[in-house]
Amino acid sequence: MCGGHGAPDQQLTPDSVKAMDAASADFYFDPVCPFAWMTSKWVRQVGAQRGFNIGWRFISLRLVNRDVDYASHFPPGYERGHTAGLELLRVAARVRHSYGNEAVGRLYEIYGAEIFDRHPGRQRDVHADSRAFAAEVLEKLGLPTDLASAVGDGSLDEALQAETDQALALTGRDVGTPIIHFEPPEGAAFFGPVISRLPDDEGAVELWDHIVALAKFPGFAEIKRSLRETPQLTAFGADPSTVGHLEDWHQGRRAN
């Protein structure tokens, strides 16, 4: 679909929220996508070394595929998974409205750590009761747990659709998550990079510089292969010291 056990508890209040600085990169994510999660960890890794700001933006896989017949296009479970991602994004939208970009980054950090960076992962918990999962994450973050009621607030979908459309307008529609917009608003945006393992700090910066160099060349459009390693994420039973099993992916899912 597409470390540790979550960030330390940190208290956020409306008074502590500051105006967001201009982002050096906007990162569009759906919280249920494991590849977006892996890439987000790399972006944070580079941001911590280079000191740039990350704008945490939303793209919903459920809204991207709103006209798709899930039964014929995806394996069983994908529709519920993508819907759960939309529900968690509704909570994130509510958090951003009240607490700002930094709070969204922390929220996503705990979402991803709980879903993907523990064994067993919590995909089933999210699918079964996204509101209870969101409330638990909000409590860890020190935010009001009643924000979790946003999972059922379809009125937020108009704004989420607009942000999803904005992401796809930057790249074209035949993409998924993640999307990175470099040096917004004027810079280029691309789907990916899709990575299955986390480099060391030196390798992370080197990879970033290569990706940025490609993004800055005005004639560059795409470099791609559909073979992907199983992401080195604890929830998938992956050992970070071993290379994941190669699988062929097509249109956001494993090829049959």
Side-chain angles (χ1 to χ4, degrees):
M1 195 169 298
C2 66
H5 295 257
D9 291 354
Q10 300 185 53
Q11 301 295 318
L12 289 171
T13 66
D15 290 338
S16 71
V17 176
K18 297 180 180 179
M20 175 184 164
D21 293 329
S24 300
D26 281 346
F27 188 90
Y28 289 83
F29 70 93
D30 186 307
V32 299
C33 177
F35 293 104
W37 172 242
M38 182 66 82
T39 302
S40 77
K41 295 203 293 182
W42 164 67
V43 170
R44 291 181 195 269
Q45 188 180 13
V46 177
Q49 296 181 76
R50 289 285 175 86
F52 64 72
N53 301 302
I54 304 167
W56 299 103
R57 307 297 298 276
F58 308 140
I59 178 171
S60 166
L61 291 170
R62 187 65 185 87
L63 296 178
V64 168
N65 295 291
R66 63 188 182 277
D67 298 323
V68 170
D69 176 14
Y70 272 82
S72 61
H73 284 77
F74 289 102
Y78 265 60
E79 183 170 14
R80 176 56 202 149
H82 287 179
T83 300
L86 172 59
E87 292 165 352
L88 294 183
L89 284 176
R90 290 169 179 166
V91 176
R94 187 79 62 79
V95 167
R96 184 167 68 187
H97 176 75
S98 298
Y99 295 94
N101 179 71
E102 181 186 358
V104 173
R106 295 181 186 178
L107 180 75
Y108 181 35
E109 188 173 19
I110 302 180
Y111 274 169
E114 289 292 315
I115 296 171
F116 298 117
D117 285 348
R118 56 182 291 168
H119 183 75
R122 304 210 38 204
Q123 294 98 324
R124 290 185 179 180
D125 293 344
V126 175
H127 295 185
D129 192 341
S130 60
R131 179 169 179 167
F133 174 80
E136 180 183 329
V137 171
L138 289 163
E139 185 175 16
K140 286 178 179 289
L141 189 56
L143 293 175
T145 58
D146 59 6
L147 290 168
S149 65
V151 300
D153 187 355
S155 70
L156 295 165
D157 292 356
E158 182 177 357
L160 291 171
Q161 182 70 69
E163 197 151 313
T164 295
D165 290 343
Q166 180 181 29
L168 298 179
L170 291 167
T171 59
R173 301 196 67 84
D174 189 21
V175 298
T177 57
I179 288 172
I180 301 179
H181 188 188
F182 299 94
E183 299 179 0
E186 292 86 5
F190 289 96
F191 163 58
V194 175
I195 58 175
S196 299
R197 27 181 156 153
L198 206 59
D200 60 24
D201 284 348
E202 181 178 355
V205 171
E206 182 179 13
L207 177 60
W208 177 265
D209 288 341
H210 290 320
I211 296 295
V212 170
L214 287 173
K216 286 187 173 181
F217 177 65
F220 178 74
E222 180 178 34
I223 182 169
K224 181 178 180 179
R225 68 173 186 168
S226 61
L227 290 175
R228 303 182 186 182
E229 297 173 5
T230 302
Q232 290 182 338
L233 296 171
T234 305
F236 296 162
D239 180 351
S241 65
T242 62
V243 176
H245 175 67
L246 275 178
E247 299 175 303
D248 199 0
W249 282 64
H250 177 65
Q251 294 183 342
R253 67 188 188 278
R254 295 175 184 84
N256 294 329

